[in-house]
Amino acid sequence: MTGFATDAIHAGYDPDSLYGPINTPIYASTTFAQDGLAQLRGGYEYTRVGNPTVTALEKAVAALEGAEYAVAYSSGMAAIDVILRVLLKPGDHIVVSNDAYGGTYRLIQQVFTQWGVENTVVDMTNPDEVAAAVQDNTKVIWVETPTNPMLDIVDIEAIAGVKQQATLVVDNTFASPYLQKPFDLGADVVVHSTTKYIGGHSDVVGGIVCGDDARVPGFHEQLRFFFGWVGANPSPFDTYLTGRGLKTLAVRMDKHCDNAEAVAAFLDAQPQVARVCYPGLESHPGHETAKKQMTPSAAWSPCCSRPPSRLRHSVSPPHCSAWRNPSAAWRAWLSTPPP
């Protein structure tokens, strides 16, 4: 039996028979030789529809999430777009969180509404509100937990209990498979922006979708269609970098957790700070849910706000998250607070 860290290093790849490299090679080839007319060698023909470097990453992430399969995409938004296009059609309805990632929210509100897809925005931390929003034409419930950026915690198991006929999609980006296993809690589909914790080095953009055809019949084939025929596939070099980052996910997440806990405790004790949004604190409204469905309970740079009457004594940087190099994309080594 292997553990998470071992699987992160070894799952998804066996040294090839030509030279036996222990690391996944970058197969920088658009086209692959065939052994005869329509006789594909190893199942690969053209990198837009499949590449061994990409396959290695897909198998590794599927193993870590406990999924039947995974399909990689060129970005997290490409992955999200494909999920929605596969699961929704004109006249369908989706339930989405009021603190969903901005890109997800804009895609649903500005693109899918034009296709005749209805949506209801709810407080996803309230399962009763979610249950009340489900309609006969509801096909998707979109859960993100922890949310970006306010770190709300959604009880995945509770939402699974009220989803009825809808497919429950969980964006697991901010937890990573190291801290949270959505499939074990009732999710039907799991998606990641691999740009964040999985890649982990702020040097590659990517996304990945994990699924199980027993939960969503035919889903894998449809994901593959969009992968190749819409051109949302990632490059071999990008997936190589992502796979390299994945190998150290466990040790990096342990350090993220340690640092975040220390920073949150410090901020929580400062009179200049009005509120710290960190699920590891007992004062966080999602603390008990985080303890129940995540191990350990938190690994995020705490967000905090300052009271208006104390603007001159605000924690630096103002309005702050405690990361060393603030930027548009969090959750990599550049945003890890130093010990």
Side-chain angles (χ1 to χ4, degrees):
M1 179 179 293
T2 60
F4 185 97
T6 300
D7 285 340
I9 295 169
H10 295 291
Y13 174 69
D14 291 318
D16 69 36
S17 59
L18 187 58
Y19 298 111
I22 60 171
N23 284 315
T24 307
I26 302 172
Y27 288 91
S29 181
T30 59
T31 311
F32 296 86
Q34 301 183 15
D35 293 325
L37 185 62
Q39 295 178 16
L40 305 184
R41 187 178 303 178
Y44 298 101
E45 176 184 14
Y46 189 61
T47 280
R48 180 165 50 75
V49 294
N51 180 285
T53 311
V54 178
T55 299
L57 173 66
E58 292 172 340
K59 289 182 176 179
V61 174
L64 296 179
E65 278 289 10
E68 179 188 357
Y69 54 80
V71 180
Y73 293 94
S74 55
S75 69
M77 284 309 305
I80 290 168
D81 178 54
V82 168
I83 292 171
L84 295 175
R85 285 204 268 177
V86 169
L87 296 179
L88 296 168
K89 64 181 185 301
D92 287 342
H93 174 254
I94 179 173
V95 180
V96 64
S97 170
N98 59 4
D99 192 35
Y101 171 59
T104 304
Y105 183 80
R106 285 188 292 272
L107 182 63
I108 292 170
Q109 295 291 346
Q110 297 181 27
V111 177
F112 281 87
T113 54
Q114 304 303 307
W115 288 7
V117 174
E118 304 170 357
N119 68 82
T120 301
V121 179
V122 300
D123 176 2
M124 200 66 70
T125 65
N126 184 344
D128 292 335
E129 188 171 332
V130 177
V134 175
Q135 305 172 7
D136 291 341
N137 62 338
T138 301
K139 295 300 191 295
V140 175
I141 297 177
W142 192 278
V143 167
E144 182 181 325
T145 183
T147 63
N148 175 4
M150 294 307 297
L151 304 182
D152 289 342
I153 301 295
V154 177
D155 189 329
I156 299 171
E157 193 170 24
I159 303 303
V162 301
K163 72 184 185 72
Q164 300 182 45
Q165 76 282 352
T167 297
L168 177 56
V169 180
V170 175
D171 186 333
N172 203 29
T173 297
F174 264 26
S176 88
Y178 185 66
L179 297 182
Q180 184 168 266
K181 302 286 191 182
F183 285 118
D184 292 344
L185 300 166
D188 298 309
V189 175
V190 173
V191 62
H192 290 272
S193 168
T194 57
T195 310
K196 311 302 191 301
Y197 282 134
I198 288 179
H201 292 79
S202 302
D203 58 4
V204 61
V205 172
I208 200 160
V209 182
C210 302
D212 186 333
D213 277 3
R215 299 173 185 268
V216 186
F219 192 52
H220 190 195
E221 181 180 359
Q222 292 176 297
L223 291 177
R224 284 288 172 205
F225 177 87
F226 279 92
F227 174 96
W229 301 112
V230 174
N233 59 297
S235 78
F237 184 69
D238 285 353
T239 50
Y240 167 80
L241 288 176
T242 303
R244 184 192 64 175
L246 183 67
K247 295 180 188 302
T248 59
L249 179 63
V251 292
R252 288 188 288 104
M253 295 307 286
D254 282 340
K255 194 61 178 176
H256 276 302
C257 290
D258 291 345
N259 287 342
E261 182 178 0
V263 172
F266 170 80
L267 292 174
D268 200 40
Q270 304 308 307
Q272 301 97 324
V273 176
R275 180 169 63 101
V276 179
C277 300
Y278 176 70
L281 294 174
E282 292 185 3
S283 57
H284 190 282
H287 177 71
E288 291 302 320
T289 301
K291 284 174 58 179
K292 179 182 71 170
Q293 70 186 24
M294 304 181 71
T295 305
S297 62
W300 318 281
S301 300
C303 298
C304 62
S305 59
R306 56 190 183 179
S309 61
R310 296 178 179 175
L311 295 181
R312 290 176 295 176
H313 305 289
S314 62
V315 175
S316 179
H319 294 301
C320 81
S321 352
W323 61 85
R324 188 174 180 83
N325 295 300
S327 61
W330 302 2
R331 317 309 161 211
W333 72 273
L334 289 174
S335 54
T336 306

